């Protein structure tokens, strides 16, 4: 096999070289444009605002006061639906669950994107002891919304609605809960504590022999841990 390059191979090399130069020029141009865009963003978003703050300390500039919060709740209540409460052997074909009193615990996290309105995610646990059967248990994973406006200098009221997947009885079903309460502000709103009342419901599937949803209510206390800075009047400026 000869080693002398032919006209065909030289043409191919030239074509490859031209393509390489073209690609290099294209990506080099894109990199230059990206670098210029990044420089403008840094100047517009960081450098200029910093100069304004330094040169004009008396100007009130809107601050990012969006806040994250973690709510821990503990409560007790009762079952409302008849099937889950039943203790009579003459009803529901002798199915006696005897779930009367319930104990409830939940962790709820929210982030205030729109001042008093926040998206929220909750993990709930409900326990129903019984002397007739094993303890009933439901765990829920609920996205939702929370509205918590300031009502006075003492604290804020709140209401939320949450719904998603509830695992109980070895099955995953749809469940939801609704809550209202009041939080007394502690430590410039770094903490909050107050009462909460909830209604919850876990649906039963249609193929269940007794498709009656589990409905229950509870009352207890909520303890809140909150990050960020205080802005009670929602004006975008940190409170004095």
């Amino acid at each position: 096999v000869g080693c002398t390059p032919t006209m065909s191979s030289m043409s191919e090399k030239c074509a490859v070289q031209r393509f390489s130069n073209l690609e290099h020029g294209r990506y080099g141009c894109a990199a230059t444009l990206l670098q210029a865009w990044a420089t403008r963003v840094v100047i517009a978003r960081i450098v200029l605002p910093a100069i304004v703050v330094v040169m004009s300390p008396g100007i009130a500039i809107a601050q990012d006061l969006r806040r994250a919060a973690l709510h821990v709740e503990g409560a007790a209540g009762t079952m409302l639906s008849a099937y889950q409460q039943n203790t009579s052997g003459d009803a529901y074909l002798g199915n006696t669950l005897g779930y009367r009193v319930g104990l409830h615990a939940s962790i709820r996290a929210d982030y205030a994107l729109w001042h008093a309105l926040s998206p929220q995610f909750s993990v709930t646990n409900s326990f129903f002891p019984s002397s007739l059967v094993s303890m009933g248990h439901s765990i829920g994973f609920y996205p939702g919304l929370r509205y918590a406006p300031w009502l006075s200098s003492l604290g804020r009221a709140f209401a939320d609605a949450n719904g998603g997947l509830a695992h109980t009885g070895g099955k995953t079903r749809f469940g939801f809960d609704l809550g209202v309460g009041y939080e007394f502000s502690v430590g410039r709103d770094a903490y909050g504590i107050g009462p909460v009342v909830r209604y919850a419901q876990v649906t039963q599937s249609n193929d269940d022999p007794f498709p009656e949803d589990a409905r229950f209510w509870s009352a207890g206390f909520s303890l809140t841990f909150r990050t960020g800075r205080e802005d009670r009047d929602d004006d975008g400026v940190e409170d004095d």
Side-chain angles (χ1 to χ4, degrees):
V1 178
C3 296
T4 303
T6 64
M7 291 298 295
S8 175
S9 62
M10 291 177 65
S11 299
E12 291 177 358
K13 289 182 179 179
C14 290
V16 170
Q17 183 63 38
R18 286 196 300 270
F19 179 77
S20 177
N21 292 338
L22 178 61
E23 290 300 299
H24 177 74
R26 181 185 301 170
Y27 291 125
C29 181
T32 301
L33 292 175
L34 181 61
Q35 182 179 6
W37 176 81
T39 302
R40 292 177 183 174
V41 170
V42 170
I43 292 175
R45 298 295 180 89
I46 299 177
V47 177
L48 291 181
I51 293 174
V52 171
V53 171
V54 172
M55 300 302 293
S56 306
I59 298 177
I61 298 176
Q63 301 166 337
D64 185 3
L65 298 177
R66 292 177 292 183
R67 315 184 70 191
L70 183 68
H71 314 278
V72 180
E73 295 180 7
T78 61
M79 183 68 71
L80 298 174
S81 47
Y83 172 64
Q84 284 76 12
Q85 290 187 66
N86 181 51
T87 58
S88 172
D90 297 328
Y92 298 103
L93 299 180
N95 282 275
T96 54
L97 298 178
Y99 297 145
R100 297 294 180 88
V101 176
L103 303 175
H104 312 277
S106 65
I107 297 177
R108 305 174 190 271
D110 75 73
Y111 190 73
L113 292 179
W114 308 284
H115 297 297
L117 186 63
S118 309
Q120 178 173 259
F121 187 80
S122 306
V123 178
T124 68
N125 266 286
S126 298
F127 302 90
F128 294 92
S130 172
S131 60
L132 302 177
V133 295
S134 60
M135 178 180 296
H137 176 230
S138 172
I139 181 170
F141 301 93
Y142 299 159
L145 286 175
R146 183 184 186 95
Y147 182 64
W150 283 95
L151 291 187
S152 69
S153 60
L154 295 178
R156 67 182 81 201
F158 69 86
D160 63 21
N162 315 276
L165 299 179
H167 187 75
T168 178
K171 297 181 179 180
T172 300
R173 316 167 190 264
F174 174 76
F176 67 90
D177 67 24
L178 308 171
V180 294
Y182 189 88
E183 290 182 351
F184 292 95
S185 176
V186 180
R188 289 183 61 85
D189 203 35
Y191 309 98
I193 186 171
V196 58
V197 177
R198 290 197 174 276
Y199 169 83
Q201 186 167 333
V202 178
T203 62
Q204 302 292 325
S205 58
N206 292 330
D207 58 355
D208 193 285
F210 305 101
E212 183 174 354
D213 294 352
R215 298 174 290 106
F216 47 94
W217 75 277
S218 64
F221 286 92
S222 172
L223 178 61
T224 295
F225 304 88
R226 187 171 282 108
T227 66
R229 292 162 290 177
E230 192 174 33
D231 180 25
R232 300 190 183 198
D233 53 7
D234 284 338
D235 63 355
V237 178
E238 183 179 5
D239 294 344
D240 295 330

